[in-house]
Amino acid sequence: MTTPDTARHTPNSMDGNPTIDERANHCFGCGPANPQGLHLAFTTDTSNPEAITATCHFQLDRMHEGPPGYIHGGIVAALLDEAMSKLNRPLNVLAMTRHMEIDYLRPVPLYQPLVLIGRHLNRPAKDGTPGRKLFHQAEIQHPDGTVLARSKGLFIAIDEKLLFAAGITPPEA
Ligand SMILES: CCCCCCCCCCCCCC(=O)SCCNC(=O)CCNC(=O)[C@H](O)C(C)(C)COP(=O)(O)OP(=O)(O)OC[C@H]1O[C@@H](n2cnc3c(N)ncnc32)[C@H](O)[C@@H]1OP(=O)(O)O
């Protein structure tokens, strides 16, 4: 006999009604409380609402090695996904990655300061209101500006009902 898996997949310490920010504390990409995480810290620039950006300066070591001396391709994807996802909050939306594509243009080196930049592209309106699809892009750059990897992503705004079903309290507006 099989039993449905109805667990919330969260540790007991998250019992209660954690906000999305409390949950995000353990995010592999940016959560300060995740000892194995990447601890990425972004600065967002919203001065041009049509072209919001999120920028992070980072450097990784052998923990994240793929090809000798270079960052693992899955970690490159995680970096790009994280940079794109950081554009959602400044746009006042909680959203999840639905689709992303990556160009691995050059191997991405370990032990070197690199730049990760996410850029909001557009959010097509539906029936005169902002739609639930958000299109972003991201790049990993060498400090001299050479683009090492590039992504495009589709994010879908999450309905608050889904958040409540997952036991998450949305942030205050
Ligand atoms: C519940 C959990 C709560 C978590 C809170 C999150 C907070 C933030 C956390 C931070 C996270 C950081 C980031 C992370 O790492 S998030 C982690 C990785 N992502 C996920 O785990 C998401 C898993 N996916 C889902 O849960 C669902 O698919 C969601 C909820 C996203 C949408 O499911 P839903 O059933 O609602 O929609 P849909 O799947 O029918 O598709 C939606 C639309 O997209 C169109 N489409 C599809 N492909 C393409 C394409 N290639 N080009 C153009 N369009 C494309 C498609 O035709 C459709 O359009 P339309 O027919 O409606 O017009």
Side-chain angles (χ1 to χ4, degrees):
M1 187 180 120
T2 55
T3 314
D5 177 7
T6 54
R8 278 173 43 189
H9 301 291
T10 55
N12 293 339
S13 59
M14 282 288 160
D15 279 355
N17 243 349
T19 65
I20 188 67
D21 292 324
E22 288 163 333
R23 284 285 188 90
N25 233 3
H26 280 78
C27 169
F28 173 71
C30 65
N34 186 336
Q36 267 98 37
L38 298 173
H39 298 157
L40 303 171
F42 286 85
T43 306
T44 50
D45 181 350
T46 56
S47 50
N48 178 357
E50 301 298 313
I52 290 174
T53 62
T55 304
C56 168
H57 296 266
F58 73 101
Q59 179 170 326
L60 298 184
D61 60 25
R62 284 197 94 171
M63 163 81 89
H64 302 104
E65 189 167 64
Y70 297 97
I71 298 176
H72 190 281
I75 299 295
V76 169
L79 290 161
L80 294 165
D81 187 29
E82 195 68 29
M84 293 192 292
S85 76
K86 283 292 168 283
L87 300 161
N88 295 323
R89 184 63 73 88
L91 291 163
N92 265 326
V93 61
L94 284 175
M96 294 184 87
T97 321
R98 174 63 174 78
H99 175 83
M100 71 180 277
E101 57 195 49
I102 302 172
D103 279 320
Y104 291 93
L105 300 166
R106 303 270 182 278
V108 184
L110 299 166
Y111 303 115
Q112 282 194 31
L114 298 170
V115 191
L116 175 59
I117 306 175
R119 286 192 193 86
H120 174 57
L121 295 177
N122 58 68
R123 180 179 186 179
K126 201 168 180 189
D127 304 325
T129 56
R132 62 182 192 140
K133 295 179 194 174
L134 297 104
F135 293 91
H136 304 317
Q137 71 168 42
E139 288 179 353
I140 298 174
Q141 298 179 358
H142 191 270
D144 72 7
T146 307
V147 180
L148 306 173
R150 178 183 289 132
S151 65
K152 282 189 184 166
L154 164 63
F155 286 70
I156 303 291
I158 300 295
D159 190 315
E160 286 201 1
K161 278 181 273 181
L162 277 178
L163 288 180
F164 282 117
I168 298 172
T169 305
E172 300 290 324

